[in-house]
Amino acid sequence: GAEAYAEAFDAAVAADERIEPRDWMPGDYRATLVRQMAQHAHSEIIGMQPEANWITRAPSLRRKAILMAKVQDEAGHGLYLYSATETLGASRDDLLDKLHSGRQKYSSIFNYPTLTWADVGAIGWLVDGAAITNQVPLCRCSYGPYARAMVRICKEESFHQRQGYELLLALSRGTDAQHAMAQDAVDRWWWPSLMMFGPPDDESAHSARSMAWKIKRHSNDELRQRFVDICVPQAEALGLTLPDPDLRWNEERGHHDFGPIDWEEFREVLRGNGPCNDQRITQRRQAHEEGAWVREAAAAYAAKHTDRLHG
Ligand code: 3HC
């Protein structure tokens, strides 16, 4: 009966085994995976916009080639994650409709503008760095297709993080104006990067169940703290300061204390009132409309091809 399936599911999760698409799973488990994986995919797709803004204005051919490769990787991560979400019975068209109509989210971080070239470095170092801190544990997520997608994506994110760090190092060691540009970018991207990890644990709607199901392996605050501890020595090596006067090493905690996060800003961005929310969604809808002919052509070809196959 149904309880036998539920027991088998619970035993598999308890034993750190993977749940695969054909396995029985609780409806809520499926629903929270579709929610998280779809929004993860949406984040990758929207995340192409801030950086694409600088592809035509990169300062050298080398930097242009690196940035193009990174943006193409983000597209691939999005498509990879939409495919993983489809293994749960979700339809890509429906997920995109939900994104375009605001019924599904994408990461708050992409609602901030990229004002100078140094922002490309700050995004690589901080945003992709935060993504790695969040995604490495997801390689151990109980749902097989998501965990396996994360293994591949984390490898590419490491390249994204290294190129951003190296870009900032070049600027930081450059002229005074270049150093100031790098510092300004870090000042603008630091706090929004900490918000990527989600609301504080005691305000997190999904954490308890997500952790019980071994989807989320560490809490929002735990991963945020881990990220801060990673960034402090890296900022020192970059010769840049982090914009938090309360940041200091706490010996007995074995972690860095840091200042308060502006959760009202976070809530405003999630309500759609961030600096670039309208621009990002408008550009996404336009890209979707302009790409309709490609989808129609592919569908027509598939239909013709299938007829030939099945006569
Ligand atoms: N931006 C937008 N929405 C956010 C958010 C953020 N930074 N943090 C939390 N939220 C939303 C949640 O989606 C949830 O809303 P919902 O019910 O409508 O989905 C609500 O706020 C409550 O947050 P919870 O902590 O309860 O939600 P989760 O348990 O889902 O935890 C999360 C949030 C840690 C982001 C988790 O969903 C997660 O780990 N997602 C996978 C990682 C991901 O999406 N990363 C995107 C970063 S960008 C990226 O990866 C691209 C890279 O190449 C730079």
Side-chain angles (χ1 to χ4, degrees):
E3 61 281 357
Y5 284 119
E7 277 161 23
F9 171 84
D10 291 343
V13 171
D16 272 329
E17 286 164 16
R18 288 277 153 80
I19 304 299
E20 296 298 338
R22 287 184 179 74
D23 293 343
W24 182 89
M25 60 186 82
D28 288 350
Y29 176 83
R30 182 187 302 277
T32 208
L33 280 167
V34 170
R35 172 187 64 81
Q36 175 164 332
M37 292 165 70
Q39 295 183 149
H40 196 159
H42 296 332
S43 302
E44 302 279 4
I45 297 301
I46 299 285
M48 291 192 281
Q49 291 187 33
E51 294 173 308
N53 179 34
W54 284 93
I55 289 178
T56 56
R57 294 182 282 160
S60 70
L61 181 61
R62 174 174 173 268
R63 289 288 179 205
K64 184 189 186 108
I66 292 172
L67 183 54
M68 282 179 73
K70 178 177 190 303
V71 172
Q72 284 168 336
D73 282 351
E74 310 292 10
H77 295 173
L79 300 184
Y80 215 55
L81 286 165
Y82 284 131
S83 296
T85 312
E86 286 171 337
T87 66
L88 289 159
S91 105
R92 191 167 309 200
D93 286 348
D94 177 52
L95 299 180
L96 286 170
D97 282 349
K98 286 190 167 79
L99 171 65
H100 300 157
S101 61
R103 283 176 291 143
Q104 277 187 339
K105 298 178 167 73
Y106 57 91
S107 187
S108 51
I109 191 69
F110 296 124
N111 290 307
Y112 291 84
T114 44
L115 303 178
T116 75
W117 169 252
D119 286 42
V120 174
I123 287 175
W125 176 45
L126 294 174
V127 175
D128 289 84
I132 291 169
T133 304
N134 164 278
Q135 289 169 181
V136 165
L138 283 171
C139 296
R140 293 185 293 113
C141 162
S142 57
Y143 187 57
Y146 195 25
R148 290 188 291 271
M150 282 298 107
V151 172
R152 156 137 173 235
I153 286 173
C154 283
K155 287 185 170 63
E156 293 177 338
E157 296 287 8
S158 299
F159 145 64
H160 299 171
Q161 195 269 357
R162 297 315 301 158
Q163 65 79 36
Y165 181 89
E166 194 246 351
L167 188 161
L168 283 180
L169 190 60
L171 290 175
S172 176
R173 292 176 173 171
T175 64
D176 291 351
Q178 287 172 324
H179 183 92
M181 194 165 71
Q183 184 60 62
D184 163 62
V186 170
D187 290 349
R188 285 184 285 107
W189 286 91
W190 173 246
W191 292 105
S193 297
L194 296 192
M195 295 176 197
M196 284 172 69
F197 292 94
D201 292 348
D202 54 8
E203 293 170 31
S204 166
H206 302 297
S207 284
R209 289 212 312 177
S210 185
M211 291 181 83
W213 282 326
K214 296 187 181 175
I215 295 168
K216 184 179 280 187
R217 303 309 302 258
H218 300 279
S219 77
N220 298 358
D221 289 330
E222 226 177 305
L223 290 181
R224 193 178 354 259
Q225 178 66 68
R226 182 178 297 181
F227 178 65
V228 170
D229 291 340
I230 288 168
C231 287
V232 170
Q234 289 178 345
E236 281 158 20
L238 282 168
L240 299 172
T241 58
L242 296 172
D244 178 358
D246 299 330
L247 194 59
R248 68 175 55 78
W249 176 252
N250 180 319
E251 192 49 44
E252 61 262 23
R253 277 199 334 117
H255 293 289
H256 293 84
D257 293 338
F258 54 95
I261 292 173
D262 181 350
W263 292 113
E264 189 42 37
E265 174 182 329
F266 176 73
R267 283 188 287 274
E268 271 302 285
V269 173
L270 261 62
R271 283 188 205 110
N273 304 326
C276 300
N277 293 56
D278 297 342
Q279 173 189 341
R280 301 292 185 231
I281 282 296
T282 302
Q283 190 166 342
R284 171 84 283 278
R285 285 199 197 105
Q286 187 183 334
H288 190 69
E289 279 144 32
E290 288 169 1
W293 69 272
V294 177
R295 294 191 295 279
E296 283 151 23
Y301 177 81
K304 188 155 46 110
H305 192 65
T306 308
D307 289 352
R308 198 175 325 124
L309 264 184
H310 300 308

